[in-house]
Amino acid sequence: MYRYDEFDAAFVAGRTAQFADQVKRRLSGELTEDQFRPLRLMNGLYLQLHAYMLRVAVPYGTLSSRQMRKLAHIARVYDRGYGHFTTRQNIQYNWPKLKDIPVILDELASVEMHAIQTSGNCIRNVTTDQFAGAAADEIIDPRPVAEILRQWSSLHPEFSYLPRKFKIAITGAPHDRAAIRFHDIGLQAAVNGAGEIGWEVWVGGGLGRTPMIAKLINSFVPNEHLLAYLESIMRVYNRYGRRDNKYKARIKILVHEEGLETIKGQVEAEFAEVRGGVLTLPSEEVDRISAYFALPDFAAQTLTKIDVAYESIVDPAYGRWLDNNINAHAQPGYASVTVSLKPVGGAPGDATDKQMEVVADLAEKYSYDELRVTHEQNLVLPHVALADLRAVYDALVASELAEGNNNLITDMICCPGLDFCALANARSIPIAQEISRKFAEPARQKEIGELKIKISGCINACGHHHVGHIGILGVEKKGGELYQITLGGDATEHASVGKIIGPGFEAENVPGAIEKLVDFYIAQRQGADETFIQAYRRLGEAPFKEALYGTA
């Protein structure tokens, strides 16, 4: 795990002191809210529907137990006893007082955390696969490169005032768990003919008002030239990205309107100028950063396989948890454990201060002091010995964190919606809660199998509804809330954007509408192994639409 050096510590301390002065001037009335707005956004502070909201970066989703305990402390002392983990691998506090923000930032700095560039028109938190460095299917741990990108992008003088916010995601595995094709830039580990590891570069993806799948701009960029290539993309975007219309300011619009080949030509021209120059990444620097992410000194394990079928007979709840929340580890005798933040009837992504402390304790005792935040709003203990799984499970049960529903219908992504967000048109949390209650029965969830529901309270798509197998979008209609349903989205390497299939539903009718779709899928699937998204692609939209709305 990366540790701040002297430069990092001085950089964060300087920014914290600067913002403390800006907060002081806002509180005294020396700064108006309009004057304060761009300053607070550069430091992760939003003004939401009811209060300020502070967004704290968790770079590439990696935390230590010490850092998690600090997040719990902040929730307890300065907020209302909980935090909300987001799809950007950040944590948000919904109720901090403005006067406390400088103190909170000082507290964060004491554990090498900050809120810089979690908002504003800049390069945001670089996200990655939650199992990075542990997954059995991984080509390379992408986190050293993600850390290099964090250092490169932090307060980059040329890219601090971009046409619009800019998001980068990176994965080191063939199976995309980081949704890289729905980011402004997506990076996926690749191997060339000589056996060298480099990066596929995807550009122009995104959700929001105009969802688009990124396009492959370069199939192999070596590590040493990656910064130069990304800087070339950023320069083209910064020069030509539209600043006259915020709805058309993202790089996806530039790529769409100009065409990939035009943009690629401009990027390659920039790259030819800077390649081999000061942006060349020395191998010794990659090695230095990579050393921070060296694997733990794993203790040898005698237990190297769990009989899930047997455990399911002895304790069905434990068996279900093993079946759904355990990911294969590269090290024999170990697994990565997903800690669900999606209890039945709960707000997806929320964790109390006490729950955060429990997870921190488990990480310290059973996961080599390491934690992850997932872009699907859960937590992960990345390095747990199989022999310790039962002890971890029992501790999670005691803290109401043992829901064995990872990738099932109740494991929903959900934005804060109209309960918190000033931009939202509709509530989203109550919809998620009612759907989870309707499908609470474990046997029913198992029968349905893998199904990703994603819910947004407005077109900005913070809940990723466009890439849900079933997506739900809250809209405003005649002063009321209405919910549109999309089908066929997918955030993996088989990327697709869901399509609205008909008129919207009133809030109370949404769970029933989802049940109709699920019942139709189960009736039509070809064997229990055919997932919802596979059945949808085989059958097409029309029969699902008819099942939901009836014949015309």
Side-chain angles (χ1 to χ4, degrees):
M1 187 180 302
Y2 183 74
R3 293 285 182 263
Y4 280 11
D5 60 19
E6 291 181 4
F7 174 84
D8 294 313
F11 163 67
V12 173
R15 170 55 79 87
T16 300
Q18 179 190 60
F19 190 51
D21 180 66
Q22 292 165 350
V23 170
K24 180 179 178 181
R25 288 189 286 149
R26 173 69 189 107
L27 289 169
S28 70
E30 186 179 345
L31 290 176
T32 66
E33 179 56 40
D34 285 343
Q35 292 169 327
F36 184 55
R37 183 176 183 273
L39 303 176
R40 63 172 168 78
L41 287 177
M42 292 173 67
N43 293 278
L45 188 63
Y46 287 76
L47 185 57
Q48 294 283 72
L49 193 61
H50 307 293
Y52 283 104
M53 178 271 282
L54 180 65
R55 179 181 294 152
V56 177
V58 182
Y60 35 87
T62 298
L63 281 167
S64 68
S65 59
R66 176 169 170 255
Q67 290 170 324
M68 181 64 93
R69 288 192 185 99
K70 179 61 71 174
L71 297 181
H73 169 79
I74 290 170
R76 181 169 54 252
V77 176
Y78 303 106
D79 206 276
R80 295 186 177 180
Y82 73 98
H84 176 72
F85 291 94
T86 79
T87 56
R88 293 299 304 161
Q89 295 180 316
N90 297 314
I91 185 172
Q92 293 180 178
Y93 296 104
N94 290 317
W95 302 101
K97 294 180 174 62
L98 181 57
K99 68 179 180 63
D100 291 331
I101 297 300
V103 183
I104 294 173
L105 295 180
D106 276 335
E107 296 249 26
L108 289 168
S110 73
V111 294
E112 303 179 352
M113 298 185 75
H114 61 76
I116 300 166
Q117 291 187 199
T118 59
S119 56
N121 293 338
C122 57
I123 299 174
R124 301 285 186 90
N125 189 35
V126 177
T127 58
T128 189
D129 179 352
Q130 67 268 27
F131 302 126
D137 64 341
E138 191 170 69
I139 297 170
I140 189 175
D141 184 349
R143 292 177 302 157
V145 171
E147 171 57 28
I148 289 167
L149 295 181
R150 184 194 69 82
Q151 295 185 22
W152 161 75
S153 63
S154 294
L155 265 63
H156 192 302
E158 192 173 346
F159 307 139
S160 292
Y161 295 95
L162 293 167
R164 197 72 172 86
K165 59 186 175 182
F166 203 93
K167 300 177 180 180
I168 300 174
I170 179 170
T171 182
H175 176 46
D176 181 9
R177 289 178 286 261
I180 67 160
R181 288 161 182 79
F182 292 98
H183 283 73
D184 299 286
I185 289 176
L187 302 173
Q188 183 153 21
V191 181
N192 67 9
E196 300 166 322
I197 297 175
W199 303 95
E200 288 181 358
V201 181
W202 297 73
V203 67
L207 300 174
R209 190 173 298 271
T210 313
M212 292 185 180
I213 300 171
K215 296 175 174 60
L216 183 64
I217 192 171
N218 196 312
S219 60
F220 190 85
V221 177
N223 259 353
E224 63 178 315
H225 298 310
L226 184 61
L227 286 187
Y229 198 82
L230 296 190
E231 184 134 328
S232 299
I233 293 174
M234 298 301 303
R235 286 181 175 179
V236 170
Y237 171 56
N238 205 22
R239 185 183 307 135
Y240 298 114
R242 293 187 56 174
R243 297 177 186 269
D244 62 321
N245 185 336
K246 71 176 184 179
Y247 301 117
K248 296 184 177 182
R250 299 291 291 269
I251 194 173
K252 63 186 178 183
I253 303 298
L254 181 66
V255 173
H256 176 73
E257 292 186 344
E258 298 296 323
L260 178 64
E261 291 308 311
T262 297
I263 297 301
K264 184 172 182 176
Q266 294 167 341
V267 169
E268 293 294 339
E270 285 281 349
F271 186 48
E273 293 291 326
V274 299
R275 179 175 179 154
V278 295
L279 289 170
T280 302
L281 192 57
S283 59
E284 57 268 24
E285 179 64 9
V286 176
D287 292 342
R288 183 183 75 86
I289 297 295
S290 297
Y292 287 107
F293 298 94
L295 287 173
D297 185 13
F298 289 114
Q301 299 294 316
T302 56
L303 181 62
T304 57
K305 187 176 181 180
I306 292 284
D307 188 341
V308 177
Y310 171 78
E311 297 293 347
S312 297
I313 295 170
V314 175
D315 185 341
Y318 178 52
R320 177 173 179 258
W321 182 79
L322 289 172
D323 200 30
N324 296 310
N325 290 38
I326 305 303
N327 195 72
H329 201 286
Q331 180 72 17
Y334 286 81
S336 296
V337 173
T338 296
V339 179
S340 176
L341 299 183
K342 319 288 178 60
V344 171
D350 281 6
T352 67
D353 59 316
K354 292 180 180 178
Q355 288 175 324
M356 285 188 255
E357 287 180 335
V358 166
V359 177
D361 290 345
L362 291 174
E364 186 173 58
K365 187 173 183 180
Y366 297 112
S367 187
Y368 293 89
D369 200 30
E370 195 173 326
L371 283 158
R372 306 290 175 78
V373 180
T374 84
H375 89 274
E376 294 188 317
Q377 298 179 285
N378 291 314
L379 301 175
V380 166
L381 300 168
H383 311 298
V384 179
L386 299 185
D388 292 329
L389 287 176
R390 182 72 209 204
V392 169
Y393 172 76
D394 288 342
L396 293 175
V397 168
S399 300
E400 299 181 349
L401 289 168
E403 193 69 37
N405 63 347
N406 190 43
N407 290 323
L408 300 181
I409 190 169
T410 59
D411 182 22
M412 289 170 276
I413 286 180
C414 180
C415 76
L418 196 55
D419 288 314
F420 297 97
C421 183
L423 300 176
N425 302 121
R427 295 167 298 163
S428 51
I429 293 173
I431 301 298
Q433 291 171 317
E434 288 305 312
I435 292 172
S436 77
R437 291 185 184 108
K438 177 169 278 292
F439 294 96
E441 176 57 43
R444 177 72 161 146
Q445 292 186 49
K446 182 176 181 179
E447 178 190 29
I448 296 166
E450 181 181 337
L451 175 54
K452 295 184 179 293
I453 296 180
K454 305 184 181 184
I455 308 171
S456 299
C458 78
I459 197 62
N460 289 308
C462 294
H464 292 194
H465 67 276
H466 293 298
V467 292
H469 300 160
I470 298 177
I472 300 170
L473 169 62
V475 299
E476 186 274 332
K477 187 172 183 180
K478 297 180 180 178
E481 298 167 282
L482 204 65
Y483 295 86
Q484 297 174 342
I485 292 178
T486 62
L487 294 181
D490 189 344
T492 71
E493 64 274 18
H494 307 296
S496 57
V497 175
K499 182 179 179 182
I500 298 172
I501 63 167
F505 292 86
E506 302 289 342
E508 62 270 20
N509 296 325
V510 173
I514 303 303
E515 188 169 42
K516 285 184 179 180
L517 292 169
V518 168
D519 287 345
F520 176 75
Y521 148 65
I522 290 174
Q524 298 297 319
R525 67 184 176 186
Q526 293 182 340
D529 291 336
E530 185 178 42
T531 65
F532 183 94
I533 187 64
Q534 290 169 342
Y536 177 81
R537 287 171 173 163
R538 175 175 59 83
L539 294 168
E541 172 198 331
F544 282 89
K545 183 174 182 177
E546 182 177 335
L548 185 57
Y549 296 102
T551 55

